[in-house]
Amino acid sequence: MNVVHSAPEMRQLSRHWQMSGETVALVPTMGALHEGHLALVTAASREASRVVVSIFVNPTQFGPSEDFDRYPRDLDTDLRSLAGLKVDAVWVPSVSGMYPSGFQTSVELARLPNHLCGLSRTCHFGGVALVVAKLFGVVRPDIAVFGLKDFQQVRVIERMAADLDLGVRILRHPTVRETDGLAMSSRNRYLSPGDRAIAPALYATLRSVGAKVALGATDSAQLIAEGRSALESAGFTVEYLNMCDPDTLDDVSNVDHLVLVIAAVRLGVTRLIDNLIAVPGAIPQTAHPAP
Ligand code: AMP
């Protein structure tokens, strides 16, 4: 496993593989790796002959009051987690390497960020699109794998890759969960034991909204009101609970087709997000059994 720090070295490695007829998959991460990240890496190794994992806590996607400084960083542990998997290179850029002095380019999408997490995290998706465009520019992957836990992020990347003709296939990976249903996240380690006990109620609530849709409920305002109230009773501060179109992320008022049920909540200092796809007349789609 090569651990690469410089962009030119990473570019050369990737180009060398592709010139030899191999395919390259990229799994972008911010480190603090857990089973969710590792599942993406395993999926990448099924799709391409070479796998690159990037580890970079990207400052441009954090707002001034967010957790950039205290975001968990432990490269040695991350490298140990990856050691048993088929990984050909781990690219660990530096902030100054990615954003040297004089840097002034931005990547903005006109509509997808104006929903959901983008409303409170106003610079977040511009920062994500920028860093992923740069990662793609260096690695030039054939495939890149992203997790559906960050549903809005996946849509932003898919849109950007299509709009800019980046020639990379975006692979969506289902959310990997703890046995009680909580979506795995690097930020779960911030949860106090009491909050950790409450946290699975987020997914349980989304499932209950999905189940009502499956049973024929169509009034999203009512479903959202009931869901919000369940989340608040469980102890969450609700940032949003929405039902929206899975492509545009526009709100859906009458649920007559497949709908994204998505939420962001707070427990103490920890912000949690989760989502599922609900289908009228069908049990909620999930890779996880009911908690
Ligand atoms: P992050 O390190 O949080 O930026 O995440 C890196 C990638 O891993 C993103 O594509 C995330 O969507 C994905 N990811 C994070 N948590 C999970 C999870 N529980 N299941 C599946 N993918 C995940």
Side-chain angles (χ1 to χ4, degrees):
M1 189 164 73
N2 299 284
V3 179
V4 179
H5 292 278
S6 88
E9 195 186 337
M10 185 65 246
R11 176 179 285 114
Q12 198 178 11
L13 201 51
S14 189
R15 186 177 292 171
H16 167 74
W17 288 329
Q18 286 169 328
M19 302 263 281
S20 319
E22 303 208 67
T23 52
V24 175
L26 172 67
V27 183
T29 81
M30 297 202 299
L33 301 179
H34 51 65
E35 293 294 326
H37 296 113
L38 303 186
L40 268 55
V41 174
T42 301
S45 69
R46 279 192 229 107
E47 298 288 323
S49 55
R50 298 287 183 171
V51 175
V52 177
V53 177
S54 61
I55 298 181
F56 182 59
V57 184
N58 172 39
T60 64
Q61 70 189 68
F62 288 78
S65 60
E66 294 183 355
D67 56 348
F68 175 71
D69 288 331
R70 68 189 179 99
Y71 197 85
R73 293 164 173 87
D74 185 349
L75 182 59
D76 289 342
T77 304
D78 287 344
L79 294 179
R80 273 197 297 277
S81 309
L82 294 171
L85 301 179
K86 159 91 176 80
V87 177
D88 297 282
V90 182
W91 181 27
V92 190
S94 65
V95 172
S96 60
M98 290 295 263
Y99 301 111
S101 98
F103 191 95
Q104 55 183 287
T105 299
S106 59
V107 178
E108 300 296 336
L109 288 87
R111 288 190 295 279
L112 283 169
N114 304 335
H115 298 80
L116 308 171
C117 292
L119 297 177
S120 63
R121 308 187 74 194
T122 48
C123 64
H124 178 66
F125 290 109
V128 167
L130 175 62
V131 77
V132 172
K134 284 177 64 70
L135 298 173
F136 286 0
V138 172
V139 177
R140 303 282 174 101
D142 300 281
I143 297 159
V145 189
F146 291 86
L148 282 171
K149 181 178 81 73
D150 301 280
F151 194 98
Q152 190 172 11
Q153 169 170 280
V154 174
R155 286 299 301 127
V156 164
I157 302 303
E158 288 172 340
R159 191 73 256 165
M160 176 191 71
D163 288 353
L164 300 181
D165 297 312
L166 298 183
V168 50
R169 178 161 71 87
I170 307 299
L171 192 71
R172 297 174 164 202
H173 194 285
T175 302
V176 178
R177 300 180 179 281
E178 304 286 356
T179 50
D180 59 10
L182 175 65
M184 290 189 183
S185 166
S186 306
R187 291 185 169 103
N188 288 351
R189 66 186 70 190
Y190 299 153
L191 292 167
S192 69
D195 288 344
R196 176 64 188 80
I198 295 170
L202 171 57
Y203 184 53
T205 304
L206 298 182
R207 284 184 59 82
S208 133
V209 174
K212 289 176 189 169
V213 170
L215 290 171
T218 57
D219 180 350
S220 71
Q222 187 179 341
L223 289 162
I224 289 169
E226 290 166 4
R228 275 192 87 103
S229 143
L231 289 170
E232 282 160 6
S233 305
F236 298 104
T237 303
V238 181
E239 187 180 299
Y240 65 78
L241 168 63
N242 277 31
M243 300 180 73
C244 41
D245 180 281
D247 290 329
T248 62
L249 306 182
D250 292 336
D251 286 345
V252 165
S253 53
N254 182 42
V255 185
D256 56 3
H257 60 289
L258 195 129
V259 69
L260 176 69
V261 186
I262 184 164
V265 298
R266 282 182 195 279
L267 270 179
V269 293
T270 312
R271 185 173 183 276
L272 302 175
I273 58 173
D274 206 345
N275 68 83
L276 54 75
I277 297 286
V279 188
I283 54 163
Q285 276 186 9
T286 174
H288 186 277

